[in-house]
């Protein structure tokens, strides 16, 4: 069993290396990871290291790595240590990347079987997953946006229906209740339901679908927030709820549909899943069930419910299985998140390498003081402080934009430097961010200029973070939407309280969201052009004489 | 008309920026570029900048760029200028990259039409194309390897048959005659034949195929090197030569087959090409002609000729058109180049930013003195000095390996520092290199461990060069084999004579070929394992106790 080193004593030659080591270990903490014994962190098969020998070799390399050396990790296996310089990242990672014509699940699995690659998901292979809280804030933001768009700013008096209570999806019930709504959450895995209740993310478990609707209606009518788990297969339950006329206002889904082997088809028992997935016809059966599942969601939409895809590629698989109307409902990004991305806003997060909850409580207070005018941020930080259960190293997430992240990073670095915090912080983000991803079914779905599939942006993002002083930088393929469907980059920068870290943080936390601004300026979003104008983001095509976009 | 600035006076704020500016300009020098008016450098459609407004904005940005700022270029368009630091690259480029499921020519062309991308080829969009000489050395190495394998170390007394006298293919006739052989070179474009004769790369033009064979046989029998151009369509000429029983020993091809629109099908006149390519059926007609072309090549192979694919994806297109035996002959990399790659050997190149030929002549002498024991290098440098016609800024290429490139770079930097050279040098390489490319039909065809399609390696290569002090770094998709078929990275580092440049060169020119060594160690090549052992390349999986690969 792995847990991260804690406290202020180094196990490596410096805090930059120590940050990487502790965050890798933390990704595999049983409180954080879904299947730590298999190195699986979240998202079905997202791993922190390729295999145990690779894990141990990474730890060994980080332990002796000098402050001007860089460790190279290829799909979870350490493949080199090279002499670089102190401004360079200490670790560079490339996970799951394949050449376009070979970017499909069959080739990926063939290579995985040969021991040549692993699935890195977004923050699993890049060592900045922080448990369900990581996605909680994004999910909270999304449901807030749904509330603002359709229900007068609150989910009070509404019922949300969703499935999937895994690493990401487990955030849904709490995000709904934080917005004062009622949620019915379906999963085929009893252990997931139990776990979410244990962690305070889910309130109760219903005996069956009828019971779930009964509880939901009662809470809705009382305008009381409540989240209800129910054991069922979504592909059966959603059509059933539709048929019984359940009064659902909002429908979405976070089963692991991005990987057909991680979605349980109709007609297979949960206990037989492990064996059945070896059958070559399994993936096709999954897709056919997804088609039924999506058809049910579209049924609710036709009755007036707010329905959206939550980034798991469910619609594409349903379409592949022959359900032509699968794209009737939009993805959550164009529907709710794009305007935030255009301003460089996205999931900023940090973890206390000390292991002390008090370090996070202090940063919570500092953030509130730093951005006193930001009400939704204040609401989130307060609710999170009360309701978020830390997993592994204490951590916090909040969405900050261009011009905000650098301020927060510098303040945190000062708090380390002054001794206010017990040890340095690791400051990073999800790969789902404003300028770090190309993913035509999710983050870059329906871009204004049609540039959804252009993958230059995440690569430039990785290169510019590498050029700005990030502590580790990663480029991943696949992630939440699956092989062939996305390229994305991540960065984590350790605030160790030094002047050098301050300079690095200032650059990384400006340039990283800056990529989001310039990406959306280039695509023609007015929100982005305004931010660039107001905050001085340089756009070469508009500089000089006769400038043009 | 664009030519690079010359001399020792800066037009920018420093030599790192100046190097990027001059090399961009040099890529578009009419002596260097195939169609400078369209910004096309080589390889059919490989461009240096997306369009003229982008070109001018890049020049404007480079002119004012500070020594701690970085310009970001997205498929030939400048999209940002960000504050970084002096060890960071001055320019970061990502060209033609697409998410896997969209990595096809139709989507690429749609995006190109919308003005959202451009084709970067390998060294066109990364500003280190140096004209036909660039490929000459690689072609020379390949034909030397063919000679060594089959003909007792010399091509004297043999006839080589090939097609394509474009930017890359134009090197073939000279590479064959440098190996003392006879070459028949087919092209549909009279201007290409004339140009190669003008530049001394091609000796004579034959009136027709019969005449070409007559000239070839006479020269072969006299054991005299001779290269013969002939105007014809290869898809007609190759089968015709086979039918007439032409005594051919070696067959290959460098038409622009990677892009079906850049290959002239049978039955279309050269003059009608420009119009005909707009026809939606054109690409399919090209592929069908390629099938006939490849069938002819296989015919020669069956008669005992040495036949190989020269990296233009001709076999794949022929297979797509239904010729099942297209992969009967191997690619040139597994056949001849892989053993060199395993040792980190590849196309090292440098250009004199002064514009002075004497600077290159001095570096030629210095290289000979630095590696006195390397006979094939000495032979090449001598022949190149005599027979290579400089295009644009004088430049030189030679293949150097791990442990050699850094020595050469440091020596060159001293020559700049001491004033021996008139101005700094730009030191770079092709994207076709030992550790910088994933390309299952060319550079990574038939890897020992089956890892052909894994694209983590070129991405790590770009990240580690960005971390080591390269002046500009690029990540490209497509290149010589076409969209969907490769990912590759480039680097150029300016030797400006400073101590800082020396430190950067030492790191970049160690780590860059080092990627080739570790990539081939990981795939199980003995040559690579030996280099790593002998030269101390660190392989984390083999360090520490209980180490394993
Ligand atoms: N929206 C976002 O921001 C975002 C971000 C990252 C990932 N995702 C995607 O969301 C999905 C869920 O991620 P996760 O980390 O929670 O995955 P996970 O594998 O941890 O959990 C998936 C859950 O779905 C359940 N499930 C599978 N098939 C089912 C079925 N037929 N009916 C009911 N339940 C079923 C599983 O039992 C499991 O609990 C993934 O596809 C992921 O890629 C979304
Ligand atoms: N082997 C390598 O190291 C390497 C490296 C880079 C590129 N390449 C590939 O080699 C190919 C050639 O590159 P290039 O830069 O010379 O391209 P180019 O476009 O400059 O030249 C191609 C030539 O082929 C001729 N051509 C087209 N169709 C023909 C036909 N049917 N018959 C006869 N001639 C025909 C054209 O007239 C042109 O002169 C490309 O596919 C390129 O991607 C190989």
């Amino acid at each position: 069993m792995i847990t991260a080193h804690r406290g202020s004593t180094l196990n490596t030659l410096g805090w930059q290396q120590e940050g990487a080591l502790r965050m890798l270990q933390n990704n595999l903490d049983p409180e954080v990871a879904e299947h730590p014994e298999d190195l699986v962190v979240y998202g079905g098969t997202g791993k922190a290291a390729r295999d145990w020998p690779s894990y141990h070799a990474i730890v060994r390399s980080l332990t002796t790595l000098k402050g001007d050396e860089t460790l190279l990790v290829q799909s979870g296996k350490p493949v080199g240590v090279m002499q670089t310089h102190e401004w360079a990242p200490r670790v560079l990672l490339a996970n799951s990347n394949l050449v376009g014509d070979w970017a499909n699940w069959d080739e990926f699995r063939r290579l995985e079987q040969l021991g040549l690659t692993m699935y890195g998901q977004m923050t699993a292979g890049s060592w900045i997953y922080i448990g369900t809280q990581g996605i909680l804030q994004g999910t909270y933001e999304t449901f807030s946006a749904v509330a603002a768009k359709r229900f007068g700013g609150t989910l009070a008096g509404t019922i949300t229906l969703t499935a999937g209570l895994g690493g990401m999806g487990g955030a849904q019930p709490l995000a709904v209740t934080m917005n004062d709504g009622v949620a019915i959450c379906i999963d085929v895995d009893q252990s997931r339901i139990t776990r979410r209740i244990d962690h305070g993310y889910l309130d109760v478990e219903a005996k069956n679908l009828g019971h779930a609707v009964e509880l939901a209606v009662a809470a809705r009518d009382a305008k009381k927030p409540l989240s209800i788990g129910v054991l069922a297969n979504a592909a059966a339950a959603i059509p059933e709820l539709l048929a019984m006329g359940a009064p659902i206002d909002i429908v979405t889904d976070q089963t692991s549909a991005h990987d057909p082997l991680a979605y349980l088809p109709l007609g297979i028992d949960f206990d037989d899943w492990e064996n059945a997935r070896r059958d070559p016809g399994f993936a096709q059966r999954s897709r056919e069930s997804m088609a039924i599942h999506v058809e049910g969601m579209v049924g609710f939409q036709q009755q007036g419910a707010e329905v959206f895809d939550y980034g798991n590629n469910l619609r594409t698989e349903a379409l592949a299985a022959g359900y032509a109307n699968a794209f009737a409902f939009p993805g959550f990004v164009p529907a709710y998140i794009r305007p935030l991305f255009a301003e460089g806003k996205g999931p900023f997060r940090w973890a206390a390498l000390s292991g002390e909850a008090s370090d996070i409580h202090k940063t919570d207070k500092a953030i509130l003081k730093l951005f006193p005018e930001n009400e939704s941020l204040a609401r989130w930080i307060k609710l999170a402080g009360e309701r978020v259960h830390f997993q592994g190293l204490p951590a916090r997430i909040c969405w900050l934009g261009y011009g905000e992240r650098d301020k927060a990073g510098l303040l945190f670095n000062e708090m380390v430097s002054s001794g206010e915090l017990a040890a340095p912080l690791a400051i990073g983000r999800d790969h789902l961010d404003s300028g770090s991803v190309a993913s035509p079914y999710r983050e870059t779905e329906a871009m204004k200029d049609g540039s959804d599939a252009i993958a230059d942006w995440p690569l430039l993002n990785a290169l510019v973070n590498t050029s700005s002083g990030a502590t580790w930088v990663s480029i991943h393929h696949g992630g939440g939407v699956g092989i062939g469907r996305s390229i994305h980059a991540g960065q984590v920068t350790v605030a160790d309280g030094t002047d050098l870290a301050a300079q690095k943080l200032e650059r990384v936390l400006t340039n990283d969201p800056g990529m989001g601004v310039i990406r959306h300026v280039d695509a023609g979003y007015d929100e982005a052009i305004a931010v660039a104008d107001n905050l001085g983001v340089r756009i070469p095509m508009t500089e000089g004489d006769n400038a043009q976009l």
Side-chain angles (χ1 to χ4, degrees), chain A:
Chain A
M1 201 193 75
I2 291 164
T3 53
H5 293 302
R6 280 158 164 78
S8 59
T9 309
L10 286 173
N11 303 279
T12 57
L13 304 183
W15 274 107
Q16 304 285 312
Q17 299 90 307
E18 187 78 16
L21 176 62
R22 294 192 186 186
M23 293 308 291
L24 163 62
Q25 292 170 327
N26 194 54
N27 262 18
L28 293 169
D29 184 318
E31 277 181 38
V32 175
E34 298 279 330
H35 296 293
E37 65 287 2
D38 300 325
L39 295 148
V40 169
V41 182
Y42 77 96
T45 56
K47 293 167 83 173
R50 197 178 306 169
D51 47 34
W52 287 108
S54 295
Y55 172 80
H56 292 300
I58 294 170
V59 170
R60 193 169 57 225
S61 298
L62 286 174
T63 305
T64 57
L65 196 76
K66 301 203 183 100
D68 60 358
E69 290 179 337
T70 297
L71 171 66
L72 307 183
V73 177
Q74 182 260 321
S75 290
K77 178 180 177 183
V79 293
V81 172
M82 295 188 179
Q83 163 82 53
T84 55
H85 53 79
E86 62 173 3
W87 270 91
R90 297 287 68 83
V91 191
L92 297 169
L93 310 101
N95 288 322
S96 325
N97 296 285
L98 294 173
V99 178
D101 282 2
W102 291 263
N104 58 65
W105 280 111
D106 284 347
E107 176 68 5
F108 178 78
R109 301 237 189 261
R110 190 187 72 82
L111 292 164
E112 199 183 27
Q113 213 82 49
L114 287 171
L116 297 171
T117 190
M118 72 160 196
Y119 204 63
Q121 260 286 1
M122 303 190 101
T123 52
S126 59
W127 312 342
I128 185 67
Y129 186 65
I130 54 170
T132 308
Q133 186 202 170
I135 202 69
L136 179 60
Q137 214 276 337
T139 314
Y140 167 83
E141 292 278 346
T142 303
F143 282 106
S144 301
V146 174
K149 184 178 163 199
R150 281 280 302 270
F151 306 100
T154 172
L155 295 186
T158 69
I159 300 175
T160 297
L161 170 64
T162 187
L165 289 171
M168 318 293 293
Q172 298 178 101
L174 183 52
V176 171
T177 54
M178 278 176 146
N179 278 289
D180 294 328
V182 174
I184 298 175
C185 303
I186 295 160
D187 203 293
V188 287
D189 183 347
Q190 179 62 51
S191 74
R192 301 300 176 100
I193 296 173
T194 307
R195 183 187 186 114
R196 298 306 157 218
I197 291 177
D198 288 349
H199 287 186
Y201 273 52
L202 183 68
D203 297 323
V204 297
E205 179 170 1
K207 289 189 289 259
N208 54 44
L209 289 177
H211 183 214
V213 174
E214 211 175 282
L215 292 171
V217 168
R220 179 199 66 184
D221 293 344
K223 297 243 168 171
K224 275 185 49 186
L226 181 72
S227 58
I228 305 150
V230 55
L231 185 70
N233 188 312
I238 305 286
E240 203 175 320
L241 287 164
L242 184 67
M244 69 170 74
I248 304 296
D249 303 287
I250 300 157
V251 188
T252 189
D253 179 68
Q254 284 213 359
T255 56
S256 271
H258 74 277
D259 174 1
L261 301 190
Y263 180 97
L264 183 65
L266 291 168
I268 296 179
D269 268 5
F270 178 73
D271 293 332
D272 300 334
W273 194 353
E274 205 45 47
N275 272 326
R277 61 194 287 168
R278 297 209 185 94
D279 172 0
F282 184 91
Q284 184 53 25
R285 285 186 69 173
S286 284
R287 285 193 190 95
E288 282 161 13
S289 294
M290 291 187 218
I292 295 166
H293 183 162
V294 171
E295 193 175 355
M297 292 173 75
V298 173
F300 278 112
Q301 187 186 29
Q302 283 161 353
Q303 297 187 358
E306 179 80 8
V307 181
F308 60 95
D309 175 293
Y310 215 154
N312 63 355
N313 212 35
L314 184 71
R315 292 171 301 169
T316 315
E317 299 292 1
L319 184 66
Y323 178 58
N325 205 20
F327 278 77
F329 52 85
F332 72 112
V333 174
Y336 316 111
I337 304 295
R338 182 77 34 83
L340 303 176
F341 277 174
E343 300 183 11
K345 289 208 175 98
F348 184 75
R349 63 175 64 170
W350 62 99
L353 297 177
S354 65
E356 304 288 342
S358 59
D359 277 1
I360 295 301
H361 298 141
K362 287 175 190 166
T363 55
D364 281 350
K365 285 209 190 94
I367 276 276
L368 290 176
K369 246 176 90 177
L370 189 61
F371 303 113
E373 71 297 341
N374 190 333
E375 279 176 39
S376 89
L377 178 70
R379 180 154 185 247
W380 159 256
I381 294 285
K382 202 179 145 288
L383 281 167
E386 288 165 21
R387 319 226 348 218
V388 165
H389 173 93
F390 290 135
Q391 297 166 261
L393 293 176
R396 181 65 74 225
I397 180 167
C398 66
W399 278 40
L400 292 180
Y402 185 87
E404 296 176 331
R405 295 192 202 184
D406 56 324
K407 285 199 188 72
L410 287 175
L411 177 61
F412 290 173
N413 197 54
E414 275 166 34
M415 292 169 73
V416 175
S417 160
S418 70
E420 192 179 343
L421 302 183
L425 302 175
I427 304 180
R429 58 162 174 77
D430 196 4
H431 286 204
L432 171 153
D433 194 16
S434 80
S436 60
V437 50
S439 185
Y441 292 132
R442 196 164 80 186
E443 289 88 340
T444 55
E445 176 177 340
M447 291 293 291
K448 203 170 171 177
D449 62 345
S451 60
D452 309 17
I454 289 187
D456 296 328
W457 301 98
L459 300 177
L460 287 173
N461 178 263
L463 293 174
V464 87
N465 283 328
T466 302
S467 300
S468 300
T471 308
W472 62 100
V473 172
S474 53
I475 301 177
H476 288 196
H477 167 211
V481 289
I483 290 295
R485 290 168 177 161
S486 65
I487 305 280
H488 32 86
Q491 69 79 14
V492 182
T493 309
V494 173
D496 62 16
T498 61
D499 282 353
L500 181 62
Q503 291 180 63
K504 290 176 173 182
L505 286 163
E506 185 171 13
R507 284 161 179 75
V508 171
L509 296 178
T510 300
N511 296 340
D512 186 30
M515 284 302 309
V517 176
I518 68 175
R519 199 264 177 270
H520 290 86
V521 166
D522 200 66
Y525 287 88
D526 292 335
E527 297 94 326
I529 295 167
V531 169
D533 276 355
N534 296 339
L535 301 183
V537 179
R538 288 185 57 188
I539 308 293
M541 295 301 284
T542 63
E543 296 179 344
D545 294 339
N546 308 315
Q548 57 181 110
L549 210 59

